[in-house]
Amino acid sequence: MAKNIQSLERAAAMLRLLAGGERRLGLSDIASSLGLAKATAHGILRTLQHEGFVEQDPGSGRYQLGAELLRLGTTYLDVHELRARALVWTDDLARSSGEAVYLGVLHQHGVLIVHHVFRPDDSRQVLEVGAMQPLHSTALGKVLAATDPVAHAELVDAKREPFTARTVTELDEIERTLDLTRAQGYATDNEETLEGVAAVAAPIYDRRRLAVGAVGITGAVERVCRDGELRPELIAAVRDTARSVSRDLGAKPF
Amino acid sequence: MAKNIQSLERAAAMLRLLAGGERRLGLSDIASSLGLAKATAHGILRTLQHEGFVEQDPGSGRYQLGAELLRLGTTYLDVHELRARALVWTDDLARSSGEAVYLGVLHQHGVLIVHHVFRPDDSRQVLEVGAMQPLHSTALGKVLAATDPVAHAELVDAKREPFTARTVTELDEIERTLDLTRAQGYATDNEETLEGVAAVAAPIYDRRRLAVGAVGITGAVERVCRDGELRPELIAAVRDTARSVSRDLGAKPF
DNA sequence: GTGCCTCGTTCGACAATGCTAAACGCTATC
DNA sequence: GATAGCGTTTAGCATTGTCGAACGAGGCAC
């Protein structure tokens, strides 16, 4: 394996550290967290600051993430082909289902939300684009783990946190769920991630028949479930949407 | 001035290049655009790819921005203090004015939108968080240029593009507008950026009385204007919101 | 089908580059 | 007013990233 550039790896580690820590971090904290000399950390931070990737509070001297990350992150969305193709279909799905729609792709150890359509009512909702969801408990995550080998490996390696009483963390049982997901072409999340919240998701394929993402809806269990199971018409709507997006991406329907 | 880390500067230039180019770029294009040897560019790109900041299309081998940027950019919003304080007030402003609300901060040569509340009706709207607005023609930009010396310098240096027939590009006239903005405490954009669209904005100050951002509303000129001027009640609402956020940030009201 | 061109990638050697450790000025604290 | 901690700067060394050239794989034209 070829060698990567040291200063870049360290800069990336700093950005992730700043993203993880709740509030701003001081230079000494950053240096000791990464095992670097203060001067080394300072040189990297100075450059990152000059480029807009980190900002420094003038008063305390502490560092936090910079605005350029927001600008570039938004640009990533603009270029994202899957997201662009899905935009039309997800709006329809939100309207027909009456629930919030999420579009996610595999990123590192979880699902990165790249598109989010609000539930079509006037309630206050926060945009979750850019947020991460776990692989083992969410509908989007199970779909990706069942259809993308890389996602599956990530799920096996990850520590599977129990979020609610219904969260499945044992690998054997999860594998059986993934087999079922592959067989029926969709996955559900019945209060396994959040109490009172259920979800359905289906995979999106590209022209090489590789899974490139997943689309699904999420809503209060009282609305999206009946007799403890996801309502069939919602499952059908989600699967139709996934198929439509796949076809837009060039996947053959047979 | 201290020296910055070369490889980091080059990596940042690459990310910006990838953000600027419409579609994916090839290695040779990137290397020649930045005046680097192909091997040098490849080493940086390989590291950026490993860290998730760029992705490579398996088929064509071309490079594009990576998902980690979206994740970090969203985290930037979560940590953003001004945005957090403004969240409550901007919702109220959108409801009372019936128009879309924007919150912006100075970034590089323009205004970066860090918060956007949709106009409270059922029309289809696209989220503009992460987008940039010019300093010389928008209400947010004029407010920042009038109250932040750094923003003012950026405005003077920038090339001021005429977007509509009403866009003011001459520096003398802009300076007079900025004087007026300082005197009355708000700025307007009367079809100077987009035909048929007008805006008002007011500055937000921190506890040291330094301008840290601007908040404003934007809407169709038929709704927000009367007799060719912004409606006074909208101006008052925007200024009230700006004052409330400033007070939340610790600014003394006197 | 074959040649050619261009692409992304790898290799090895050089020296420029970024790293380390120690000292600096500063602010806040007690 | 001494101290402890902060972010920052400095100087010198050797590690590190850079470069030019060569490699192998695809794609296009003919």
Side-chain angles (χ1 to χ4, degrees), chain B residues 60-107:
Chain B
S60 65
R62 286 212 170 91
Y63 293 92
Q64 63 169 38
L65 293 182
E68 184 75 353
L69 288 170
L70 175 60
R71 196 181 70 85
L72 292 176
T74 306
T75 308
Y76 166 77
L77 286 181
D78 295 341
V79 186
H80 203 276
E81 187 184 355
L82 167 59
R83 179 173 180 271
R85 307 280 179 143
L87 281 181
V88 210
W89 304 102
T90 48
D91 269 6
D92 287 348
L93 180 57
R95 206 171 359 251
S96 68
S97 67
E99 298 295 337
V101 176
Y102 292 85
L103 178 69
V105 298
L106 176 70
H107 176 61

Side-chain angles (χ1 to χ4, degrees), chain A residues 3 16 46 51 68 107, chain B residues 3 16 46 51 107:
Chain A
K3 240 179 29 189
R16 269 191 282 272
R46 174 162 28 84
E51 303 292 338
E68 184 75 354
H107 176 61
Chain B
K3 240 177 31 186
R16 268 191 282 272
R46 173 162 29 84
E51 302 293 337
H107 176 61

Side-chain angles (χ1 to χ4, degrees), chain B residues 44-247:
Chain B
I44 295 173
L45 282 169
R46 173 162 29 84
T47 309
L48 286 175
Q49 180 183 13
H50 184 253
E51 302 293 337
F53 291 97
V54 306
E55 293 169 358
Q56 187 175 27
D57 186 68
S60 65
R62 286 212 170 91
Y63 293 92
Q64 63 169 38
L65 293 182
E68 184 75 353
L69 288 170
L70 175 60
R71 196 181 70 85
L72 292 176
T74 306
T75 308
Y76 166 77
L77 286 181
D78 295 341
V79 186
H80 203 276
E81 187 184 355
L82 167 59
R83 179 173 180 271
R85 307 280 179 143
L87 281 181
V88 210
W89 304 102
T90 48
D91 269 6
D92 287 348
L93 180 57
R95 206 171 359 251
S96 68
S97 67
E99 298 295 337
V101 176
Y102 292 85
L103 178 69
V105 298
L106 176 70
H107 176 61
Q108 293 174 346
H109 319 300
V111 185
L112 180 73
I113 305 301
V114 296
H115 189 52
H116 174 191
V117 186
F118 285 158
R119 178 161 24 91
D121 58 31
D122 290 340
S123 64
R124 173 96 44 110
Q125 300 171 64
V126 291
L127 193 74
E128 289 182 59
V129 169
M132 297 280 291
Q133 287 188 1
L135 285 170
H136 68 282
S137 70
T138 64
L140 293 173
K142 289 183 209 169
V143 163
L144 286 178
T147 52
D148 183 344
V150 180
H152 184 261
E154 290 287 353
L155 170 57
V156 172
D157 291 347
K159 56 177 187 302
R160 297 171 289 277
E161 202 178 334
F163 302 108
T164 75
R166 305 180 75 152
T167 307
V168 179
T169 58
E170 261 192 89
L171 196 52
D172 290 352
E173 198 172 346
I174 294 180
E175 291 289 5
R176 257 178 282 131
T177 308
L178 295 185
D179 287 338
L180 182 63
T181 300
R182 274 181 285 263
Q184 59 192 13
Y186 68 90
T188 63
D189 167 7
N190 203 333
E191 298 193 72
E192 296 163 52
T193 308
L194 279 171
E195 306 274 2
V197 173
V200 211
I204 298 173
Y205 298 99
D206 68 359
R207 58 189 69 85
R208 284 165 310 208
R209 302 198 64 75
L210 297 176
V212 291
V215 63
I217 62 176
T218 299
V221 65
E222 295 82 7
R223 289 195 310 268
V224 301
C225 288
R226 186 181 304 146
D227 305 330
E229 292 292 324
L230 262 295
R231 285 163 46 202
E233 61 268 32
L234 292 179
I235 296 174
V238 167
R239 298 188 66 187
D240 282 344
T241 303
R243 264 192 296 267
S244 300
V245 178
S246 298
R247 206 180 318 117

Side-chain angles (χ1 to χ4, degrees), chain A residues 5, chain B residues 10 14 27-45:
Chain A
I5 294 178
Chain B
R10 288 172 168 178
M14 277 185 200
L27 170 63
S28 304
D29 302 329
I30 298 173
S32 65
S33 293
L34 300 176
L36 299 176
K38 275 202 300 180
T40 306
H42 180 254
I44 295 173
L45 282 169

